[in-house]
Amino acid sequence: MGYDEELKHCRNNSPESSNLRRVVNLISSLISLSLSIRVFAGKWQLIRHKLEELYSGLVGADDDDDPSLSCVLPAILSTAEECSDLARRCTDLTYSGKLLMQSDLEVVFAKLHCHVKKLSEMYTKGVLTHSYALVVSKPALGASKEDMRFFVRDLLTRMKVGDVGMKKQALINLHEVASEDDKYVKVIVEVGDVVHVLVEFLGSSEAEIQQESAKIVSLIAGFDSYKGVLVGAGVVAPLVKLLDSASETGKVAAALCLQSLTENSDNAWSVSAHGGVTALLKICSGVESRGELVCPACGVLRNLVGVEEIKRFMVDEGAVSMFIRLMRSRDEAIQVSSIEFLESISSGDESLVKQIVVRDGGVGVLLRILDPKWPCSCKTREVVMRAIENLFFSWSSCVTLLMSYGFVDQLMYYIRNGEASVQELALKVSFRLCGASEDAKKALGDAGFMAELVKFLNAKSFEVREMAAEALSEMVMVPKNRKRFVQDDQNIGLLLQLLDPEEGNSGNNKFLISVLMSLTSCNSGRKKIVSSEYAKNIERLATESQVSSADAKRLVRKLSTNRFRNMLSGIWHHHHHHHSHS
């Protein structure tokens, strides 16, 4: 009976019950099984390729009940069962003789070849149409590792043998399961060729295939333990290529992936060696580049800055000026990324980088973002404040420049009106600025910093109280500040009150005594200390066995110079007398 007659004969009989899914499942598991067979490797590889072609033909078929298909299924099923039997015997090594097994494998291969040929003729004649309606259903949540592997292998087969539509659908399904359940990421890495196929797809001429693969690779790269697998599979070169050539979506996925991979500094050289630095700088210099792309690109560059030679290359390529331009962006995320990049590239003693930042107007740009009238989030303001401190405080000429731009007034604004996190940071930054130079102390004094510090001496947080006391002890080293501080009658009383040993504030006592010590160097300061109703706290501290008692004794000696001795002994004598009665 010729092929066409066989078909007619088949059509007249009722179609077989749905065998298609059963056949497809059997072939899929055979493909998996064949990967683990250690004998007759060459023969099994040929068989596997035929099984993959057959699988693709069947999975692509239009419909279970297509009579023309049910006509060929029984023969395919019986060959598959035969093949399954041989696979089992090759796995268990229970076959009787090598030559016999070899000829059995050749027979099965020939039969598979015929089935593939027959199917493709049916497609060519239009008897069968492609529709890929048959989808291997996704295992339910909590499915066994075996089911998950089966599903991933099925998708892998589609990725290998399907047309563009089938490949894309398989990638979408793979991304979906991997993003829903981390366990799939492990399966993807463990199952045969998946990673290699994904890496190969990154170089595909089809943009959608590139993009979908990049998304999955990016997901895998998020796991520390698999970064090495990806790099070992050669992922870096195609990712760098995508940065140059892909669509916006493809570029974003590639940049995100490289950002994950370069968190491990060992991979920095690989990115650089494939021309990654140049590609990334090009992205950041693009006028119309959007935040979704610039931020991860910036992130990769920040990860690479740690390698001295790569950092030098970036500086030579004009990266610093480029990122100062980017800091002017209207997109807040881009602003933050570029500021953080500049901080990274200038960390350590990078005077060259800092010079470029100053030369290109970086100080003005940063201070414009800090301007309370500038619309931006607290987080961005915090980033800017930290950057200014890290970039400029170690250089006295930069500190002077900052002050000429009105930086001190901005800090005072945030200390007085900022939200809690910004306020505390402004306080910390002012405290560091205070230690930067004599001029800084004077400018802070003129701006009313000391009055604010006095308020913070009562703060809830111990760290803040101590910082305020220490800052105050630095501020009053400047004569002009000392005078100003003593003029406000309440200040000294408050300091002496805080010295109270029962306040349990002993960590601050050291700094508070240091402030008082400075104040004794002007007459009005000494007078006010001695005549305060809280002066006895100094003596009480001096007699305590606390750490600060030595400092307190020194202060007592300083206050006890001739002119004040009588006044003091009067107070303190009276104080003792009072105690002896009680």
Side-chain angles (χ1 to χ4, degrees), residues 347-380:
S347 69
D349 183 35
E350 281 300 335
S351 48
L352 171 66
V353 173
K354 291 174 185 174
Q355 277 164 350
I356 302 172
V357 174
V358 172
R359 184 197 72 203
D360 286 8
V363 178
V365 180
L366 285 166
L367 290 184
R368 194 183 69 197
I369 303 172
L370 257 198
D371 183 335
K373 292 192 282 296
W374 184 264
C376 72
S377 68
C378 287
K379 184 186 175 307
T380 302

Short mmCIF file of all heavy atoms in Angstrom, two decimals, residues 347-380:
data_model
loop_
_atom_site.label_atom_id
_atom_site.label_comp_id
_atom_site.label_asym_id
_atom_site.label_seq_id
_atom_site.Cartn_x
_atom_site.Cartn_y
_atom_site.Cartn_z
N SER A 347 37.72 57.91 44.95
CA SER A 347 38.05 57.44 46.30
C SER A 347 39.53 57.08 46.35
O SER A 347 40.14 56.77 45.34
CB SER A 347 37.19 56.24 46.67
OG SER A 347 37.58 55.14 45.89
N GLY A 348 40.08 57.09 47.57
CA GLY A 348 41.54 57.01 47.65
C GLY A 348 42.01 58.44 47.45
O GLY A 348 41.21 59.37 47.44
N ASP A 349 43.29 58.62 47.25
CA ASP A 349 43.75 60.01 47.12
C ASP A 349 43.81 60.37 45.65
O ASP A 349 44.87 60.44 45.06
CB ASP A 349 45.13 60.15 47.79
CG ASP A 349 45.58 61.60 47.72
OD1 ASP A 349 44.71 62.49 47.82
OD2 ASP A 349 46.79 61.84 47.54
N GLU A 350 42.62 60.58 45.06
CA GLU A 350 42.60 60.85 43.61
C GLU A 350 42.57 62.35 43.34
O GLU A 350 41.56 62.88 42.90
CB GLU A 350 41.38 60.16 42.98
CG GLU A 350 41.56 58.69 42.76
CD GLU A 350 42.73 58.38 41.82
OE1 GLU A 350 43.10 59.24 40.99
OE2 GLU A 350 43.28 57.28 41.93
N SER A 351 43.68 63.02 43.61
CA SER A 351 43.63 64.47 43.48
C SER A 351 43.36 64.87 42.03
O SER A 351 42.68 65.86 41.77
CB SER A 351 44.94 65.09 43.97
OG SER A 351 46.02 64.39 43.41
N LEU A 352 43.84 64.05 41.07
CA LEU A 352 43.62 64.39 39.65
C LEU A 352 42.12 64.45 39.36
O LEU A 352 41.61 65.40 38.76
CB LEU A 352 44.30 63.35 38.75
CG LEU A 352 43.94 63.48 37.27
CD1 LEU A 352 44.49 64.79 36.71
CD2 LEU A 352 44.49 62.32 36.45
N VAL A 353 41.39 63.40 39.80
CA VAL A 353 39.95 63.36 39.55
C VAL A 353 39.28 64.56 40.20
O VAL A 353 38.44 65.23 39.60
CB VAL A 353 39.36 62.04 40.10
CG1 VAL A 353 37.84 62.06 40.01
CG2 VAL A 353 39.92 60.85 39.34
N LYS A 354 39.67 64.86 41.46
CA LYS A 354 39.02 65.98 42.16
C LYS A 354 39.29 67.30 41.44
O LYS A 354 38.41 68.15 41.36
CB LYS A 354 39.51 66.03 43.61
CG LYS A 354 38.98 64.83 44.40
CD LYS A 354 39.53 64.74 45.81
CE LYS A 354 39.05 63.46 46.46
NZ LYS A 354 39.63 63.20 47.76
N GLN A 355 40.50 67.43 40.90
CA GLN A 355 40.81 68.67 40.16
C GLN A 355 39.88 68.82 38.96
O GLN A 355 39.38 69.91 38.68
CB GLN A 355 42.27 68.65 39.67
CG GLN A 355 43.24 69.09 40.74
CD GLN A 355 44.69 68.72 40.40
OE1 GLN A 355 44.94 67.97 39.45
NE2 GLN A 355 45.62 69.22 41.18
N ILE A 356 39.65 67.70 38.26
CA ILE A 356 38.76 67.77 37.08
C ILE A 356 37.34 68.14 37.53
O ILE A 356 36.67 68.95 36.89
CB ILE A 356 38.74 66.43 36.30
CG1 ILE A 356 40.15 66.04 35.86
CG2 ILE A 356 37.83 66.52 35.08
CD1 ILE A 356 40.27 64.65 35.24
N VAL A 357 36.90 67.54 38.64
CA VAL A 357 35.54 67.83 39.12
C VAL A 357 35.40 69.33 39.41
O VAL A 357 34.42 69.96 39.01
CB VAL A 357 35.22 67.01 40.40
CG1 VAL A 357 33.87 67.43 40.99
CG2 VAL A 357 35.20 65.52 40.10
N VAL A 358 36.41 69.90 40.07
CA VAL A 358 36.35 71.33 40.39
C VAL A 358 36.43 72.16 39.10
O VAL A 358 35.64 73.08 38.89
CB VAL A 358 37.51 71.72 41.35
CG1 VAL A 358 37.57 73.23 41.53
CG2 VAL A 358 37.31 71.02 42.70
N ARG A 359 37.36 71.79 38.21
CA ARG A 359 37.56 72.54 36.97
C ARG A 359 36.29 72.57 36.12
O ARG A 359 35.95 73.57 35.50
CB ARG A 359 38.70 71.88 36.18
CG ARG A 359 39.09 72.62 34.91
CD ARG A 359 39.89 71.72 33.99
NE ARG A 359 39.07 70.68 33.37
CZ ARG A 359 39.53 69.54 32.89
NH1 ARG A 359 40.82 69.25 32.97
NH2 ARG A 359 38.71 68.67 32.34
N ASP A 360 35.57 71.42 36.10
CA ASP A 360 34.38 71.35 35.24
C ASP A 360 33.10 71.83 35.92
O ASP A 360 32.00 71.54 35.46
CB ASP A 360 34.18 69.91 34.74
CG ASP A 360 35.20 69.55 33.67
OD1 ASP A 360 36.13 70.35 33.46
OD2 ASP A 360 35.07 68.47 33.07
N GLY A 361 33.26 72.50 37.05
CA GLY A 361 32.07 73.09 37.69
C GLY A 361 31.25 72.11 38.50
O GLY A 361 30.07 72.35 38.76
N GLY A 362 31.87 71.00 38.90
CA GLY A 362 31.13 69.99 39.67
C GLY A 362 30.59 70.51 40.99
O GLY A 362 29.50 70.13 41.43
N VAL A 363 31.35 71.44 41.63
CA VAL A 363 30.92 71.96 42.93
C VAL A 363 29.58 72.68 42.79
O VAL A 363 28.62 72.44 43.54
CB VAL A 363 31.99 72.92 43.52
CG1 VAL A 363 31.51 73.49 44.84
CG2 VAL A 363 33.31 72.18 43.70
N GLY A 364 29.50 73.53 41.78
CA GLY A 364 28.25 74.28 41.55
C GLY A 364 27.08 73.36 41.25
O GLY A 364 25.96 73.58 41.75
N VAL A 365 27.33 72.32 40.46
CA VAL A 365 26.24 71.40 40.10
C VAL A 365 25.71 70.72 41.36
O VAL A 365 24.50 70.63 41.60
CB VAL A 365 26.72 70.33 39.10
CG1 VAL A 365 25.58 69.38 38.75
CG2 VAL A 365 27.24 70.97 37.82
N LEU A 366 26.63 70.25 42.20
CA LEU A 366 26.21 69.54 43.43
C LEU A 366 25.43 70.47 44.35
O LEU A 366 24.41 70.10 44.92
CB LEU A 366 27.44 68.98 44.16
CG LEU A 366 28.05 67.73 43.51
CD1 LEU A 366 29.44 67.46 44.09
CD2 LEU A 366 27.16 66.51 43.73
N LEU A 367 25.93 71.69 44.49
CA LEU A 367 25.26 72.60 45.42
C LEU A 367 23.91 73.06 44.88
O LEU A 367 23.01 73.40 45.64
CB LEU A 367 26.16 73.79 45.75
CG LEU A 367 27.36 73.40 46.62
CD1 LEU A 367 28.17 74.60 47.02
CD2 LEU A 367 26.93 72.66 47.88
N ARG A 368 23.76 73.06 43.55
CA ARG A 368 22.46 73.42 42.99
C ARG A 368 21.42 72.35 43.37
O ARG A 368 20.27 72.66 43.68
CB ARG A 368 22.55 73.56 41.48
CG ARG A 368 21.33 74.27 40.90
CD ARG A 368 21.39 74.35 39.40
NE ARG A 368 21.22 73.03 38.80
CZ ARG A 368 21.54 72.75 37.55
NH1 ARG A 368 22.11 73.66 36.78
NH2 ARG A 368 21.33 71.55 37.06
N ILE A 369 21.86 71.08 43.36
CA ILE A 369 20.92 70.00 43.73
C ILE A 369 20.56 70.11 45.22
O ILE A 369 19.46 69.78 45.63
CB ILE A 369 21.52 68.60 43.43
CG1 ILE A 369 21.93 68.50 41.95
CG2 ILE A 369 20.53 67.49 43.76
CD1 ILE A 369 22.71 67.24 41.60
N LEU A 370 21.53 70.59 46.03
CA LEU A 370 21.27 70.71 47.47
C LEU A 370 20.35 71.88 47.80
O LEU A 370 19.78 71.93 48.89
CB LEU A 370 22.58 70.92 48.23
CG LEU A 370 23.19 69.75 48.98
CD1 LEU A 370 24.20 70.27 49.98
CD2 LEU A 370 22.16 68.89 49.68
N ASP A 371 20.23 72.83 46.86
CA ASP A 371 19.39 74.00 47.12
C ASP A 371 17.98 73.55 47.53
O ASP A 371 17.34 72.80 46.81
CB ASP A 371 19.31 74.84 45.83
CG ASP A 371 18.52 76.13 46.05
OD1 ASP A 371 17.68 76.16 46.97
OD2 ASP A 371 18.74 77.09 45.30
N PRO A 372 17.51 74.01 48.71
CA PRO A 372 16.19 73.56 49.20
C PRO A 372 15.08 73.79 48.17
O PRO A 372 14.08 73.08 48.19
CB PRO A 372 15.95 74.44 50.43
CG PRO A 372 17.32 74.84 50.89
CD PRO A 372 18.18 74.91 49.67
N LYS A 373 15.26 74.75 47.28
CA LYS A 373 14.21 75.02 46.28
C LYS A 373 14.27 74.02 45.12
O LYS A 373 13.34 73.93 44.33
CB LYS A 373 14.34 76.46 45.75
CG LYS A 373 14.03 77.50 46.81
CD LYS A 373 13.87 78.90 46.22
CE LYS A 373 15.22 79.57 45.91
NZ LYS A 373 16.03 79.81 47.14
N TRP A 374 15.36 73.27 45.03
CA TRP A 374 15.51 72.31 43.92
C TRP A 374 14.63 71.08 44.22
O TRP A 374 14.68 70.54 45.32
CB TRP A 374 16.98 71.89 43.81
CG TRP A 374 17.26 70.98 42.66
CD1 TRP A 374 17.33 69.62 42.71
CD2 TRP A 374 17.50 71.35 41.31
NE1 TRP A 374 17.61 69.11 41.46
CE2 TRP A 374 17.71 70.14 40.58
CE3 TRP A 374 17.55 72.56 40.62
CZ2 TRP A 374 17.99 70.13 39.21
CZ3 TRP A 374 17.83 72.54 39.26
CH2 TRP A 374 18.04 71.34 38.56
N PRO A 375 13.79 70.68 43.25
CA PRO A 375 12.87 69.57 43.55
C PRO A 375 13.58 68.21 43.51
O PRO A 375 13.95 67.75 42.43
CB PRO A 375 11.85 69.66 42.40
CG PRO A 375 12.62 70.27 41.27
CD PRO A 375 13.69 71.14 41.86
N CYS A 376 13.83 67.62 44.64
CA CYS A 376 14.36 66.25 44.62
C CYS A 376 14.10 65.56 45.95
O CYS A 376 13.74 66.21 46.93
CB CYS A 376 15.84 66.22 44.26
SG CYS A 376 16.92 66.82 45.54
N SER A 377 14.28 64.25 45.97
CA SER A 377 13.94 63.48 47.17
C SER A 377 15.02 63.63 48.24
O SER A 377 16.14 64.04 47.96
CB SER A 377 13.84 62.01 46.79
OG SER A 377 15.13 61.54 46.46
N CYS A 378 14.63 63.26 49.47
CA CYS A 378 15.60 63.29 50.58
C CYS A 378 16.79 62.41 50.28
O CYS A 378 17.93 62.75 50.57
CB CYS A 378 14.95 62.75 51.85
SG CYS A 378 13.78 63.90 52.54
N LYS A 379 16.51 61.24 49.66
CA LYS A 379 17.60 60.29 49.41
C LYS A 379 18.67 60.95 48.53
O LYS A 379 19.86 60.82 48.78
CB LYS A 379 17.05 59.04 48.72
CG LYS A 379 18.12 57.99 48.53
CD LYS A 379 17.64 56.78 47.73
CE LYS A 379 18.77 55.81 47.44
NZ LYS A 379 19.96 56.42 46.82
N THR A 380 18.22 61.68 47.51
CA THR A 380 19.18 62.35 46.61
C THR A 380 19.98 63.40 47.38
O THR A 380 21.19 63.51 47.22
CB THR A 380 18.43 62.99 45.43
OG1 THR A 380 17.71 61.95 44.75
CG2 THR A 380 19.40 63.63 44.45
#
